[in-house]
Every structure is written in C-alpha cells, then in structure tokens.
Coordinates of all heavy atoms in Angstrom, one line a residue:
V1428 N 0.8 -1.2 -0.1 CA 0.0 0.0 0.1 C 1.0 1.3 -0.1 O 0.6 2.2 -0.7 CB -1.0 0.0 1.3 CG1 -1.6 1.3 1.4 CG2 -2.1 -1.1 1.1
T1429 N 1.9 1.2 0.8 CA 2.9 2.4 0.8 C 3.5 2.6 -0.6 O 3.6 3.8 -1.0 CB 3.9 2.2 1.8 OG1 3.3 1.9 3.1 CG2 4.8 3.4 2.0
G1430 N 4.0 1.4 -1.3 CA 4.5 1.7 -2.5 C 3.5 2.2 -3.5 O 3.8 3.0 -4.3
T1431 N 2.2 1.7 -3.5 CA 1.3 2.2 -4.4 C 1.0 3.6 -4.2 O 0.7 4.3 -5.1 CB 0.0 1.4 -4.2 OG1 0.4 0.0 -4.4 CG2 -1.1 1.7 -5.3
M1432 N 0.9 4.0 -2.9 CA 0.5 5.5 -2.6 C 1.7 6.4 -3.1 O 1.4 7.4 -3.7 CB 0.4 5.6 -1.1 CG -0.8 5.1 -0.6 SD -1.2 5.1 1.1 CE -0.8 6.8 1.5
V1433 N 2.9 5.9 -2.9 CA 4.1 6.7 -3.4 C 4.1 6.8 -4.9 O 4.3 7.9 -5.5 CB 5.3 6.2 -2.9 CG1 6.6 6.9 -3.5 CG2 5.5 6.4 -1.5
A1434 N 3.8 5.8 -5.5 CA 3.8 5.7 -7.0 C 2.6 6.5 -7.5 O 2.6 7.4 -8.4 CB 3.6 4.3 -7.5
G1435 N 1.5 6.5 -6.9 CA 0.3 7.4 -7.3 C 0.6 8.9 -7.1 O 0.3 9.8 -7.9
L1436 N 1.3 9.1 -5.9 CA 1.6 10.6 -5.6 C 2.7 11.0 -6.6 O 2.4 12.2 -7.0 CB 2.2 10.7 -4.2 CG 2.4 12.0 -3.7 CD1 1.2 12.8 -3.6 CD2 3.1 12.0 -2.4
S1437 N 3.7 10.2 -7.0 CA 4.6 10.8 -8.0 C 3.9 10.9 -9.3 O 4.3 11.7 -10.1 CB 5.8 9.7 -7.9 OG 5.4 8.5 -8.4
A1438 N 3.0 10.0 -9.7 CA 2.3 10.2 -10.9 C 1.5 11.5 -11.0 O 1.4 12.1 -12.0 CB 1.4 9.0 -11.3
A1439 N 0.8 11.7 -9.8 CA 0.1 13.0 -9.8 C 1.1 14.2 -9.8 O 0.6 15.3 -10.5 CB -0.8 13.0 -8.5
I1440 N 2.1 14.1 -9.3 CA 3.0 15.4 -9.1 C 3.6 15.6 -10.5 O 3.6 16.7 -11.0 CB 4.2 15.1 -8.1 CG1 3.5 15.3 -6.7 CG2 5.2 16.1 -8.4 CD1 4.5 14.9 -5.6
F1441 N 4.1 14.5 -11.2 CA 4.6 14.7 -12.5 C 3.7 14.7 -13.7 O 4.0 14.8 -14.9 CB 5.8 13.6 -12.7 CG 6.9 13.7 -11.7 CD1 7.2 12.6 -11.0 CD2 7.6 14.9 -11.6 CE1 8.2 12.8 -10.0 CE2 8.7 15.0 -10.8 CZ 8.9 13.9 -9.9
S1442 N 2.4 14.4 -13.3 CA 1.4 14.3 -14.4 C 1.7 13.4 -15.4 O 1.6 13.7 -16.7 CB 0.9 15.8 -14.9 OG 2.0 16.3 -15.6
V1443 N 1.9 12.2 -15.1 CA 2.2 11.1 -16.0 C 1.3 10.0 -15.7 O 0.7 9.9 -14.6 CB 3.6 10.5 -16.0 CG1 4.6 11.7 -16.6 CG2 4.2 10.0 -14.7
P1444 N 1.1 9.0 -16.5 CA 0.1 7.8 -16.2 C 0.8 7.0 -15.1 O 2.0 7.0 -14.9 CB 0.1 7.0 -17.6 CG 0.4 8.0 -18.6 CD 1.3 9.0 -18.0
F1445 N -0.1 6.4 -14.3 CA 0.3 5.7 -13.2 C 1.3 4.6 -13.5 O 2.2 4.2 -12.7 CB -1.0 5.1 -12.4 CG -0.6 4.3 -11.3 CD1 -0.2 4.8 -10.1 CD2 -0.7 2.8 -11.3 CE1 0.1 4.0 -9.0 CE2 -0.3 2.1 -10.2 CZ -0.1 2.7 -9.0
L1446 N 1.1 3.9 -14.6 CA 2.0 2.7 -14.9 C 3.4 3.1 -15.2 O 4.2 2.3 -14.9 CB 1.4 2.1 -16.2 CG 0.1 1.3 -16.1 CD1 -0.4 0.7 -17.4 CD2 0.3 0.2 -14.9
F1447 N 3.6 4.4 -15.5 CA 5.0 4.8 -15.6 C 5.7 4.9 -14.3 O 6.9 4.9 -14.2 CB 5.1 6.1 -16.5 CG 4.7 6.1 -17.9 CD1 4.0 7.0 -18.4 CD2 5.0 4.9 -18.6 CE1 3.8 7.0 -19.8 CE2 4.6 4.7 -20.0 CZ 3.9 5.8 -20.6
C1448 N 4.9 5.1 -13.2 CA 5.5 5.3 -11.9 C 5.5 4.0 -11.0 O 5.8 4.1 -9.9 CB 4.8 6.4 -11.2 SG 5.0 8.0 -12.0
V1449 N 4.9 3.0 -11.6 CA 4.9 1.8 -10.8 C 6.3 1.2 -10.4 O 6.5 0.7 -9.2 CB 4.2 0.6 -11.6 CG1 4.3 -0.8 -11.0 CG2 2.7 0.9 -11.7
P1450 N 7.5 1.4 -11.1 CA 8.8 1.1 -10.6 C 9.2 1.7 -9.2 O 10.1 1.3 -8.6 CB 9.7 1.4 -11.8 CG 8.9 1.2 -13.0 CD 7.5 1.7 -12.5
V1451 N 8.6 2.9 -9.1 CA 8.8 3.7 -7.8 C 8.4 2.8 -6.6 O 9.0 2.9 -5.5 CB 8.2 5.0 -7.8 CG1 8.4 5.7 -6.5 CG2 8.7 5.8 -8.9
A1452 N 7.4 1.9 -6.8 CA 6.8 1.1 -5.6 C 7.7 0.0 -5.4 O 7.6 -0.7 -4.3 CB 5.4 0.8 -6.0
F1453 N 8.6 -0.5 -6.3 CA 9.4 -1.7 -6.2 C 10.2 -1.7 -4.8 O 10.2 -2.8 -4.2 CB 10.2 -2.1 -7.3 CG 9.4 -2.5 -8.5 CD1 9.8 -2.4 -9.8 CD2 8.1 -3.0 -8.4 CE1 9.0 -2.7 -10.9 CE2 7.3 -3.4 -9.5 CZ 7.8 -3.3 -10.7
P1454 N 10.9 -0.6 -4.5 CA 11.8 -0.7 -3.4 C 10.8 -0.9 -2.0 O 11.3 -1.6 -1.1 CB 12.4 0.7 -3.3 CG 12.4 1.1 -4.6 CD 11.2 0.6 -5.2
F1455 N 9.8 -0.3 -1.9 CA 8.8 -0.4 -0.7 C 8.3 -1.8 -0.6 O 8.3 -2.5 0.4 CB 7.6 0.5 -0.8 CG 8.2 1.9 -0.8 CD1 8.3 2.7 -1.9 CD2 8.4 2.5 0.4 CE1 8.7 3.9 -1.8 CE2 8.8 3.9 0.6 CZ 9.0 4.5 -0.6
V1456 N 8.0 -2.5 -1.7 CA 7.4 -3.8 -1.8 C 8.6 -4.8 -1.4 O 8.4 -5.7 -0.7 CB 6.7 -4.2 -3.1 CG1 6.3 -5.6 -3.2 CG2 5.6 -3.2 -3.3
G1457 N 9.7 -4.5 -2.0 CA 10.8 -5.4 -1.7 C 11.3 -5.4 -0.4 O 11.7 -6.4 0.3
A1458 N 11.3 -4.2 0.3 CA 11.7 -4.0 1.7 C 10.7 -4.8 2.7 O 11.1 -5.4 3.5 CB 11.8 -2.5 2.1
A1459 N 9.4 -4.5 2.3 CA 8.4 -5.3 3.1 C 8.5 -6.8 3.0 O 8.4 -7.5 3.9 CB 7.0 -4.8 2.7
A1460 N 8.8 -7.2 1.8 CA 8.9 -8.7 1.5 C 10.2 -9.2 2.2 O 10.2 -10.3 2.8 CB 9.1 -9.0 0.0
Y1461 N 11.2 -8.4 2.1 CA 12.5 -8.9 2.9 C 12.3 -9.0 4.4 O 12.7 -10.0 5.0 CB 13.6 -7.9 2.6 CG 14.9 -8.3 3.3 CD1 15.8 -9.3 2.8 CD2 15.3 -7.7 4.4 CE1 16.9 -9.7 3.4 CE2 16.5 -8.1 5.0 CZ 17.2 -9.1 4.5 OH 18.4 -9.4 5.2
L1462 N 11.6 -8.0 4.9 CA 11.4 -7.9 6.5 C 10.3 -9.1 6.7 O 10.4 -9.5 8.0 CB 10.8 -6.6 6.8 CG 11.8 -5.5 6.7 CD1 11.2 -4.2 7.1 CD2 13.0 -5.8 7.7
T1463 N 9.5 -9.4 5.8 CA 8.5 -10.4 6.2 C 9.1 -11.9 6.0 O 8.9 -12.8 6.8 CB 7.2 -10.3 5.3 OG1 6.8 -9.0 5.5 CG2 6.3 -11.3 5.6
F1464 N 9.8 -12.1 5.0 CA 10.3 -13.5 4.6 C 11.6 -13.9 5.2 O 11.9 -15.1 5.3 CB 10.2 -13.8 3.1 CG 8.8 -13.7 2.5 CD1 8.6 -12.9 1.4 CD2 7.8 -14.4 3.1 CE1 7.4 -12.8 0.8 CE2 6.5 -14.3 2.5 CZ 6.3 -13.5 1.4
K1465 N 12.5 -12.9 5.5 CA 13.7 -13.2 6.1 C 13.7 -13.6 7.5 O 13.1 -13.0 8.3 CB 14.7 -12.0 5.8 CG 16.0 -12.2 6.5 CD 16.9 -13.2 5.8 CE 18.2 -13.2 6.5 NZ 19.0 -14.5 6.2
R1466 N 14.1 -14.9 7.8 CA 14.1 -15.3 9.1 C 15.4 -15.1 9.9 O 16.5 -15.2 9.3 CB 13.8 -16.9 9.1 CG 12.4 -17.2 8.5 CD 11.3 -16.7 9.3 NE 10.1 -17.1 8.7 CZ 8.9 -16.7 9.1 NH1 8.9 -15.9 10.1 NH2 7.8 -17.0 8.5
V1467 N 15.3 -14.7 11.2 CA 16.5 -14.4 12.0 C 16.5 -15.4 13.1 O 15.4 -15.6 13.9 CB 16.5 -13.0 12.4 CG1 17.6 -12.8 13.4 CG2 16.6 -12.1 11.3
K1468 N 17.5 -16.1 13.3 CA 17.7 -17.0 14.5 C 18.5 -16.3 15.7 O 19.8 -16.1 15.5 CB 18.2 -18.4 14.2 CG 18.2 -19.3 15.3 CD 18.7 -20.7 14.9 CE 18.6 -21.7 16.0 NZ 19.2 -22.9 15.7
K1469 N 17.9 -15.9 16.6 CA 18.5 -15.1 17.7 C 18.2 -15.7 19.0 O 16.9 -15.8 19.4 CB 18.2 -13.7 17.6 CG 19.1 -12.8 18.4 CD 20.4 -12.7 17.8 CE 21.2 -11.6 18.5 NZ 22.6 -11.6 18.0
A1470 N 19.1 -16.2 19.8 CA 18.8 -16.7 21.2 C 18.0 -17.9 21.2 O 17.1 -18.1 22.1 CB 18.4 -15.6 22.1
G1471 N 18.0 -18.7 20.1 CA 17.2 -19.9 20.0 C 15.8 -19.7 19.5 O 15.0 -20.6 19.4

C-alpha cells in the first residue's frame, strides 16, 4: 500500500500515467517482502 501510494503521488506530481511510476513502488514492496520472509535466529 505504501509503494502504491508513493507511485500514485509521484504520478500525480509529474502528471504522467500511473503505470510509468509503478517502478517507484518496487523498493517499498521489496523491503516489506524482505522484512517479512527473511528469518532471523537469535537466542534460540
């Protein structure tokens, strides 16, 4: 949702179609996926 909102906001600011700004959302989705799927083993 954060990535989609940033992409939509950047599309509105630069007045371009939303699909051109979708790559802006990739870092947010990637960070969320990393924080969700990466497992840490600490103190058992």
Side-chain angles (χ1 to χ4, degrees):
V1428 167
T1429 304
T1431 305
M1432 288 174 50
V1433 169
L1436 186 63
S1437 62
I1440 289 173
F1441 296 124
S1442 64
V1443 295
F1445 178 76
L1446 288 177
F1447 292 145
C1448 293
V1449 168
V1451 174
F1453 290 157
F1455 295 97
V1456 176
Y1461 180 78
L1462 291 175
T1463 302
F1464 295 128
K1465 174 68 177 161
R1466 300 288 181 193
V1467 176
K1468 184 176 182 181
K1469 194 71 171 176

